[in-house]
Amino acid sequence: MSQPADDTTAHEDAPASADVRTARLLVAGQFVLIGILVLLPGRHDWPVPAALKVACSIATVVGLAVMVIGATGLGRGLTATPLPNAHAQLRTGGLYRYARHPIYSGLLLTMASITVASGSVSRLLTLGLLVLLLTVKARWEETRLIQRFQGYADYAARTPRFVPRLRR
């Protein structure tokens, strides 16, 4: 049986195995830190007034909603790893008009709310690690998005990574 003359075209757009491995490690690290944040017991290292707990509960729900809306906005381009798939398109509308990574923004809001409401220094330190990891992950992802989408660099120059700008 003969091979097609140009066997590389089928895999031309596929990410390199090193990129896939790195992407999976970033996602695994993210889920480990999320698991720690959720499972660590609250220690009451600082007092958390009842009104603040309510505000944190509301912020948690808002963060979850932002994640769902951001994920829905990607449509079939949504992937489990920070590598664009064949269906990915550059999204600059909806929540993506305000932040380049609204799913990460919603995740950070959710995890920050859980952390504040817990009153736990160990959760606060873990949240710091999550912020660091998501920043590294977003930057890593953005290098691939710049390669994939011609307009991504301009979009990134005018749109904040995680936290939308306040209007003046």
Side-chain angles (χ1 to χ4, degrees), residues 6 23 32 39 62 69 91 94 133 150 163 165-166:
D6 188 5
V32 165
L39 297 175
V62 169
I69 294 167
R91 305 289 184 181
L133 180 109
Q150 185 177 8
V163 181
R165 290 187 187 101
L166 298 176

PDB file of all heavy atoms in Angstrom, residues 6 23 32 39 62 69 91 94 133 150 163 165-166:
ATOM      1  N   ASP A   6       2.363  13.647   0.000  1.00  0.00           N
ATOM      2  CA  ASP A   6       2.672  14.663   1.011  1.00  0.00           C
ATOM      3  C   ASP A   6       1.917  14.331   2.291  1.00  0.00           C
ATOM      4  O   ASP A   6       0.856  14.860   2.559  1.00  0.00           O
ATOM      5  CB  ASP A   6       2.280  16.051   0.493  1.00  0.00           C
ATOM      6  CG  ASP A   6       2.761  17.166   1.415  1.00  0.00           C
ATOM      7  OD1 ASP A   6       3.472  16.867   2.396  1.00  0.00           O
ATOM      8  OD2 ASP A   6       2.427  18.329   1.139  1.00  0.00           O
ATOM      9  N   ALA A  23       1.185  22.260  27.547  1.00  0.00           N
ATOM     10  CA  ALA A  23      -0.206  22.667  27.750  1.00  0.00           C
ATOM     11  C   ALA A  23      -0.880  21.789  28.797  1.00  0.00           C
ATOM     12  O   ALA A  23      -1.584  22.290  29.692  1.00  0.00           O
ATOM     13  CB  ALA A  23      -0.970  22.606  26.427  1.00  0.00           C
ATOM     14  N   VAL A  32      -4.691  21.292  40.085  1.00  0.00           N
ATOM     15  CA  VAL A  32      -4.154  20.969  41.414  1.00  0.00           C
ATOM     16  C   VAL A  32      -4.359  22.162  42.348  1.00  0.00           C
ATOM     17  O   VAL A  32      -4.829  22.006  43.488  1.00  0.00           O
ATOM     18  CB  VAL A  32      -2.671  20.562  41.326  1.00  0.00           C
ATOM     19  CG1 VAL A  32      -2.011  20.573  42.700  1.00  0.00           C
ATOM     20  CG2 VAL A  32      -2.525  19.189  40.681  1.00  0.00           C
ATOM     21  N   LEU A  39     -10.408  22.514  48.658  1.00  0.00           N
ATOM     22  CA  LEU A  39     -10.396  21.494  49.714  1.00  0.00           C
ATOM     23  C   LEU A  39      -9.727  21.923  51.019  1.00  0.00           C
ATOM     24  O   LEU A  39      -9.991  21.311  52.054  1.00  0.00           O
ATOM     25  CB  LEU A  39      -9.721  20.219  49.188  1.00  0.00           C
ATOM     26  CG  LEU A  39     -10.447  19.549  48.020  1.00  0.00           C
ATOM     27  CD1 LEU A  39      -9.642  18.371  47.501  1.00  0.00           C
ATOM     28  CD2 LEU A  39     -11.855  19.125  48.409  1.00  0.00           C
ATOM     29  N   VAL A  62     -20.963  35.208  40.256  1.00  0.00           N
ATOM     30  CA  VAL A  62     -20.634  36.057  39.104  1.00  0.00           C
ATOM     31  C   VAL A  62     -19.412  35.484  38.370  1.00  0.00           C
ATOM     32  O   VAL A  62     -19.402  35.393  37.132  1.00  0.00           O
ATOM     33  CB  VAL A  62     -20.374  37.522  39.537  1.00  0.00           C
ATOM     34  CG1 VAL A  62     -19.771  38.343  38.409  1.00  0.00           C
ATOM     35  CG2 VAL A  62     -21.664  38.157  40.039  1.00  0.00           C
ATOM     36  N   ILE A  69     -20.069  32.063  30.339  1.00  0.00           N
ATOM     37  CA  ILE A  69     -20.305  32.947  29.189  1.00  0.00           C
ATOM     38  C   ILE A  69     -19.055  33.006  28.304  1.00  0.00           C
ATOM     39  O   ILE A  69     -19.147  32.956  27.076  1.00  0.00           O
ATOM     40  CB  ILE A  69     -20.749  34.348  29.656  1.00  0.00           C
ATOM     41  CG1 ILE A  69     -22.121  34.264  30.326  1.00  0.00           C
ATOM     42  CG2 ILE A  69     -20.767  35.332  28.487  1.00  0.00           C
ATOM     43  CD1 ILE A  69     -22.512  35.516  31.085  1.00  0.00           C
ATOM     44  N   ARG A  91     -11.727  35.797  18.812  1.00  0.00           N
ATOM     45  CA  ARG A  91     -12.941  36.397  19.384  1.00  0.00           C
ATOM     46  C   ARG A  91     -12.575  37.728  20.024  1.00  0.00           C
ATOM     47  O   ARG A  91     -11.721  37.787  20.900  1.00  0.00           O
ATOM     48  CB  ARG A  91     -13.542  35.485  20.457  1.00  0.00           C
ATOM     49  CG  ARG A  91     -13.828  34.077  20.010  1.00  0.00           C
ATOM     50  CD  ARG A  91     -14.988  34.018  19.061  1.00  0.00           C
ATOM     51  NE  ARG A  91     -15.279  32.627  18.740  1.00  0.00           N
ATOM     52  CZ  ARG A  91     -16.226  32.246  17.933  1.00  0.00           C
ATOM     53  NH1 ARG A  91     -17.008  33.130  17.380  1.00  0.00           N
ATOM     54  NH2 ARG A  91     -16.419  30.974  17.678  1.00  0.00           N
ATOM     55  N   GLY A  94     -18.274  40.396  22.729  1.00  0.00           N
ATOM     56  CA  GLY A  94     -18.790  39.858  23.987  1.00  0.00           C
ATOM     57  C   GLY A  94     -17.830  40.159  25.126  1.00  0.00           C
ATOM     58  O   GLY A  94     -17.260  41.250  25.199  1.00  0.00           O
ATOM     59  N   LEU A 133       0.463  31.107  38.024  1.00  0.00           N
ATOM     60  CA  LEU A 133       0.340  30.051  37.019  1.00  0.00           C
ATOM     61  C   LEU A 133      -0.543  30.491  35.850  1.00  0.00           C
ATOM     62  O   LEU A 133      -0.191  30.273  34.687  1.00  0.00           O
ATOM     63  CB  LEU A 133      -0.214  28.765  37.626  1.00  0.00           C
ATOM     64  CG  LEU A 133      -0.341  27.651  36.589  1.00  0.00           C
ATOM     65  CD1 LEU A 133       0.691  26.578  36.843  1.00  0.00           C
ATOM     66  CD2 LEU A 133      -1.721  27.070  36.599  1.00  0.00           C
ATOM     67  N   GLN A 150      -3.630  36.616  12.741  1.00  0.00           N
ATOM     68  CA  GLN A 150      -2.921  37.819  12.310  1.00  0.00           C
ATOM     69  C   GLN A 150      -3.239  39.037  13.183  1.00  0.00           C
ATOM     70  O   GLN A 150      -2.374  39.830  13.486  1.00  0.00           O
ATOM     71  CB  GLN A 150      -3.250  38.111  10.857  1.00  0.00           C
ATOM     72  CG  GLN A 150      -2.482  39.263  10.282  1.00  0.00           C
ATOM     73  CD  GLN A 150      -2.786  39.469   8.812  1.00  0.00           C
ATOM     74  OE1 GLN A 150      -3.683  38.847   8.246  1.00  0.00           O
ATOM     75  NE2 GLN A 150      -2.047  40.347   8.174  1.00  0.00           N
ATOM     76  N   VAL A 163      -8.218  41.666  33.851  1.00  0.00           N
ATOM     77  CA  VAL A 163      -9.077  42.629  34.548  1.00  0.00           C
ATOM     78  C   VAL A 163      -9.460  43.754  33.597  1.00  0.00           C
ATOM     79  O   VAL A 163      -8.592  44.485  33.115  1.00  0.00           O
ATOM     80  CB  VAL A 163      -8.355  43.217  35.784  1.00  0.00           C
ATOM     81  CG1 VAL A 163      -9.256  44.202  36.515  1.00  0.00           C
ATOM     82  CG2 VAL A 163      -7.906  42.102  36.723  1.00  0.00           C
ATOM     83  N   ARG A 165     -10.565  47.235  32.015  1.00  0.00           N
ATOM     84  CA  ARG A 165     -10.302  48.621  32.411  1.00  0.00           C
ATOM     85  C   ARG A 165     -11.595  49.284  32.826  1.00  0.00           C
ATOM     86  O   ARG A 165     -12.646  49.036  32.235  1.00  0.00           O
ATOM     87  CB  ARG A 165      -9.702  49.397  31.239  1.00  0.00           C
ATOM     88  CG  ARG A 165      -8.310  48.973  30.900  1.00  0.00           C
ATOM     89  CD  ARG A 165      -7.720  49.905  29.826  1.00  0.00           C
ATOM     90  NE  ARG A 165      -6.455  49.392  29.396  1.00  0.00           N
ATOM     91  CZ  ARG A 165      -6.250  48.723  28.276  1.00  0.00           C
ATOM     92  NH1 ARG A 165      -7.244  48.506  27.447  1.00  0.00           N
ATOM     93  NH2 ARG A 165      -5.060  48.275  27.965  1.00  0.00           N
ATOM     94  N   LEU A 166     -11.498  50.141  33.818  1.00  0.00           N
ATOM     95  CA  LEU A 166     -12.652  50.950  34.206  1.00  0.00           C
ATOM     96  C   LEU A 166     -12.780  52.098  33.221  1.00  0.00           C
ATOM     97  O   LEU A 166     -11.797  52.675  32.791  1.00  0.00           O
ATOM     98  CB  LEU A 166     -12.469  51.501  35.618  1.00  0.00           C
ATOM     99  CG  LEU A 166     -12.360  50.452  36.733  1.00  0.00           C
ATOM    100  CD1 LEU A 166     -12.095  51.120  38.065  1.00  0.00           C
ATOM    101  CD2 LEU A 166     -13.648  49.628  36.815  1.00  0.00           C
TER     102      LEU A 166
END
